[in-house]
Amino acid sequence: MAEKQSSSAARKSFFALFLTTIVLFVLSWLFVLRSTGRPRPLDRKVLTTQKLPTVFHHVKSQSSNGLSRAILVNNGGREEEPPKSEQGFQDKDGAMNCNGNVKEPLKIFMYDLDPEFHFGLLDWKPQGDRIWPDIRTEIPPYPEGLNLQHSIEYWLTLDLLASEISDNPNNRVAMRVQNSSEADLIFVPFFSSLSYNRFSKQNPHQKKSVNKVLQAKLVKFLTAQKEWKMSGGRDHIVLAHHPNSMLDARMQLWPSIFILADFGRYPLNIANVDKDVIAPYKHMVESYANDTSDFDSRQTLLFFQGSIYRKDGGFARQELFYLLKDEKDVHFAFGSLKNNGVIKAGQGMRLSKFCLNIAGDTPSSNRLFDAIASHCVPVIISDDIELPYEDLLDYSEFCVFVRTSDAVKENFLINLIRSIRKEEWTQMWEKLKEVEALFEYQYPAKDGDAVQMIWQSLARKVPGVKMKINKSRRYSNAVVPGKDGGLRSIPAPKNF
């Protein structure tokens, strides 16, 4: 019996010693793990986001406490308070100048296309073998009227040409480079909207319209270029702002970055917000300088003037016309370019508190940007609309959005608009005056105007473009067994 008790006590002692040894070993291992700097749980505070290739201009906005804020994109898209110093600011690498721009502008390689693709469409006649006009002495004018609303290609091309004669290249957002290997993106200077507007009709003596011929020639030229073959066209910028421009070529040039007014006539696999850039229309009405109006002086509550009967998504226009036409403080009328229609529309917008922007044949229209220029708070009824720079701008601060299904309900829209108080309207009106410069096209371009904002939108596409190109090259030099038992390489496919 004594031997059994002694054996049991020994086993207990051994088991206690074993547990103690295990505990000491685990504690010592943890101590070594900490002291040697091996992986620990992630602290989100120390994670940083990748810096984008450009930093954006100040965009004035009114916060709830009345302080002006700047929108910067070097911190994952958050808004930051502007620096207190008026002498400018720098990031930790000292990469920005006093305007908040990166010292290195976006580098753009522009093809020297024949003038028939660009300024030749403006009846510019080159002398000798010149391709571009000397913009120091001559700037071919763009045609007036509705042509102007889709003139984006004209302003961007002028800005690239101007970058070659700029006295201070560090103040530019984009700069033309002559070597495509140095470029972030490649610009295709085809004035496609103008080509459609002026040359889409086929003459009886032509097999194809000039517009179709130019598109076919452009596709043939681009797909033969080494730059296109190297990237599959992913880093090319193609302008197709008019909804009917590039109807033939778009299906072949779809890997490129399209600059568009909206996606209304594009399938998602051809154009989408991830790949492409939405640019504002050039407004048709005059800008409202020195606006001294207020809530009370703008006596019309709700304004619309334009085509009422539209196809596709524009059915809501006629529905709303019948719902609103008898409201005493609503102007809802047919309008056109005839009889100074643009001037009359501009005058009406300046006298109105709210301006309707209803989907027509496509989700977008120039009317939105006319309203912004007139400081008339836009009421957007277009479920599929995409808006310029919406990754930076909160449009709800100066626009009212209404779903189409709600807008066509009896009394819904008019009751909603009448419920917006004077103080709320005034805040949106003030915001309109702050952001209107972001939608202005002009030459030369100015800080934070539409030209520079489009370049900045393109700059934000560069990392994604580079990633797609790099991923497409993964197997470009693949090696496989040959018939003789040796190894052979597989060349990269064309237009991969």
Side-chain angles (χ1 to χ4, degrees), residues 10-20:
R11 283 197 300 269
K12 289 181 180 179
S13 298
F14 178 78
F15 183 70
L17 179 62
F18 175 76
L19 285 180
T20 302

Side-chain angles (χ1 to χ4, degrees), residues 40-51:
R40 305 178 199 172
L42 287 176
D43 183 357
R44 294 184 181 274
K45 293 181 181 180
V46 302
L47 295 179
T48 58
T49 56
Q50 182 181 5
K51 186 189 295 183

Side-chain angles (χ1 to χ4, degrees), residues 233-385:
R234 293 176 178 88
D235 56 359
H236 283 53
I237 304 166
V238 174
L239 299 105
H241 199 260
H242 192 292
N244 291 326
S245 63
M246 301 292 282
L247 281 176
D248 299 296
R250 65 179 60 170
M251 302 302 289
Q252 296 162 282
L253 302 181
W254 65 267
S256 62
I257 304 170
F258 289 135
I259 297 184
L260 307 171
D262 58 48
F263 300 120
R265 294 181 180 171
Y266 286 80
L268 280 175
N269 62 324
I270 299 299
N272 54 74
V273 72
D274 176 64
K275 178 177 75 75
D276 305 304
V277 168
I278 297 297
Y281 292 65
K282 184 176 184 350
H283 60 78
M284 302 295 294
V285 304
E286 292 186 3
S287 299
Y288 196 179
N290 303 316
D291 181 3
T292 58
S293 66
D294 59 19
F295 184 84
D296 297 318
S297 66
R298 292 178 175 249
Q299 297 182 357
T300 301
L301 176 67
L302 189 58
F303 182 91
F304 178 89
Q305 188 163 304
S307 298
I308 294 174
Y309 301 98
R310 308 299 288 181
K311 57 186 177 181
D312 299 330
F315 77 93
R317 289 193 184 185
Q318 61 193 68
E319 296 287 333
L320 288 168
F321 171 71
Y322 293 116
L323 288 172
L324 299 172
K325 64 184 179 67
D326 296 325
E327 297 289 343
K328 63 179 182 179
D329 49 359
V330 173
H331 176 92
F332 202 121
F334 176 82
S336 68
L337 287 178
K338 298 178 180 178
N339 301 318
N340 296 319
V342 173
I343 294 175
K344 291 178 181 178
Q347 292 171 343
M349 287 181 170
R350 291 185 181 191
L351 295 173
S352 304
K353 297 178 178 67
F354 297 93
C355 287
L356 278 170
N357 181 74
I358 316 168
D361 295 344
T362 58
S364 67
S365 77
N366 188 64
R367 192 168 288 102
L368 169 62
F369 306 98
D370 284 345
I372 292 173
S374 304
H375 308 157
C376 180
V377 175
V379 179
I380 299 176
I381 304 172
S382 181
D383 298 345
D384 297 321
I385 196 170

